[in-house]
């Protein structure tokens, strides 16, 4: 039994999309930052940092977006959301590590430096290049992870389609996927509590 | 054929230790930041961000510490440096993701806030707890990744053994390992170029 603790629009959106991609049955546990759900003792017992997401696997907590995405993709191999061999899988992790560190750190720094943030998304744009997906021809959890951060950045910075053309086309491709649409609908219906 | 591009004392130390743990044959390519080796066109062709480490796998570049550690552990499964099953492997990634994002971000922020840095290492200390290794009884690439950042922090902040007792014991355990000693010897002999 899988249970996902998430906050609409936050980084937990990536595992949320992955669960819909996989068609995996799971229990939804939305948290409200405004109501301080993430500081409640029951939640801190699962995730001492009070962060989202947390995935419960038969009651056992797993934290960190990259680890949860890897677990989901590996547990449902038929969906082929990870790499095909060890080297391809390592490239999926390389992408996700880049998104989680370089890109996310730059995003966190946006209040002090818009330039740093845009430069990092420029690196991501070049890294993606003309490929359809992060791995090339194959859709993977790396695309989900990349999409979520660009979605957030896009809503905030409203870049023109020409500024990050590769990311922009990737975004459009992602938005045609049923799992992405479904996740956005569900999370919007619960309501976003996102800082400016 | 494996080739590691690294800079002594930098985050590339983790894959460097892992290669020695595995006893894997590899070609060593130390870079000097002072000499701007990481900005040379030949290196940027492999790693457009100009970061270390880069691992060449039969000439194909793989970037990001977490991805390289995962690749090495998965390619040499007999050394058992990763998890035993998918869930254990996900926990290895959860630890490494925590080190790479929470802990490393706090480390980067050290110049603006020592408190943030110490708080993050406090979280790491509690997360490790009384366990021998990050996974519990089993040594893994997560320990190597954690060790490298604590080693760097320890050289900088010189914390007392009582401030982070679990990290301090983990450090002592790591320092008894031949692969760790060997890597430190090699990198020190080449010479560190570490910012204060």
């Amino acid at each position: 039994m899988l249970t996902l603790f998430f906050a609409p629009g936050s980084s937990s959106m990536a595992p949320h999309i992955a669960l819909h991609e996989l068609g995996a049955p799971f229990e939804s546990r939305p948290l409200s930052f405004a109501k301080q759900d993430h500081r409640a003792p029951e939640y801190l017992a699962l995730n001492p940092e009070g962060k989202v997401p947390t995935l419960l696997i038969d009651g056992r907590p797993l934290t960190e977006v990259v680890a949860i995405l890897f677990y989901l993709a590996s547990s449902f191999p038929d969906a082929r959301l990870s790499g095909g061999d060890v080297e391809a899988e390592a490239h999926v992790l390389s992408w996700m590590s880049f998104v989680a560190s370089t890109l996310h750190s730059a995003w966190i720094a946006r209040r002090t430096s818009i330039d740093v943030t845009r430069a990092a998304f420029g690196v991501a744009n070049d890294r993606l290049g003309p490929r359809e997906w992060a791995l090339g021809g194959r859709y993977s959890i790396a695309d989900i992870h990349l999409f979520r951060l660009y979605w957030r950045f896009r809503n905030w910075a409203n870049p023109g389609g020409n500024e990050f053309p590769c990311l922009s086309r990737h975004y459009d491709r992602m938005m045609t996927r049923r799992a992405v649409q479904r996740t956005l609908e569900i999370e919007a219906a619960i309501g976003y509590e996102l800082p400016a």
Side-chain angles (χ1 to χ4, degrees), chain A:
Chain A
M1 180 60 199
L2 299 175
T3 305
L4 182 70
F5 291 83
F6 68 99
S10 79
S11 59
S12 57
M13 187 192 277
H16 198 187
I17 292 173
L19 283 161
H20 285 287
E21 285 285 359
L22 297 166
F26 69 101
E27 194 188 344
S28 257
R29 296 290 298 274
L31 299 183
S32 163
F33 292 141
K35 292 181 187 156
Q36 296 280 301
D37 291 345
H38 59 307
R39 310 306 311 172
E42 312 89 73
Y43 189 66
L44 290 175
L46 301 175
N47 188 326
E49 288 191 87
K51 290 183 175 171
V52 287
T54 301
L55 182 73
L56 292 189
I57 305 164
D58 295 329
R60 298 181 298 277
L62 178 66
T63 59
E64 298 285 339
V65 171
V66 167
I68 293 172
L69 288 173
F70 172 88
Y71 175 80
L72 292 173
S74 303
S75 301
F76 298 85
D78 292 351
R80 302 178 80 235
L81 284 189
S82 189
D85 58 15
V86 167
E87 190 171 344
E89 214 161 26
H91 279 288
V92 168
L93 286 175
S94 176
W95 255 105
M96 296 202 295
S97 180
F98 167 76
V99 171
S101 54
T102 301
L103 221 50
H104 194 253
S105 300
W107 168 249
I108 295 293
R110 71 191 182 277
R111 292 194 189 83
T112 46
S113 172
I114 294 173
D115 292 345
V116 167
T117 312
R118 288 192 186 270
F121 279 92
V123 172
N125 185 79
D126 295 345
R127 183 167 178 166
L128 183 61
R131 287 173 205 83
E132 188 174 3
W133 304 115
L135 278 196
R138 175 194 270 202
Y139 177 67
S140 75
I141 45 178
D143 296 295
I144 296 176
H145 197 26
L146 173 63
F147 165 79
R148 187 269 148 185
L149 204 64
Y150 187 67
W151 171 85
R152 186 74 180 86
F153 171 70
R154 192 177 172 279
N155 287 352
W156 174 76
N158 198 22
N162 292 329
E163 191 176 359
F164 306 106
C166 307
L167 291 177
S168 175
R169 283 194 295 271
H170 184 264
Y171 175 90
D172 292 343
R173 272 191 285 274
M174 289 295 295
M175 289 297 277
T176 67
R177 299 190 73 91
R178 191 68 199 105
V180 174
Q181 295 165 4
R182 181 108 188 81
T183 305
L184 287 170
E185 283 161 23
I186 292 170
E187 299 204 352
I190 297 168
Y192 300 127
E193 297 170 351
L194 299 174

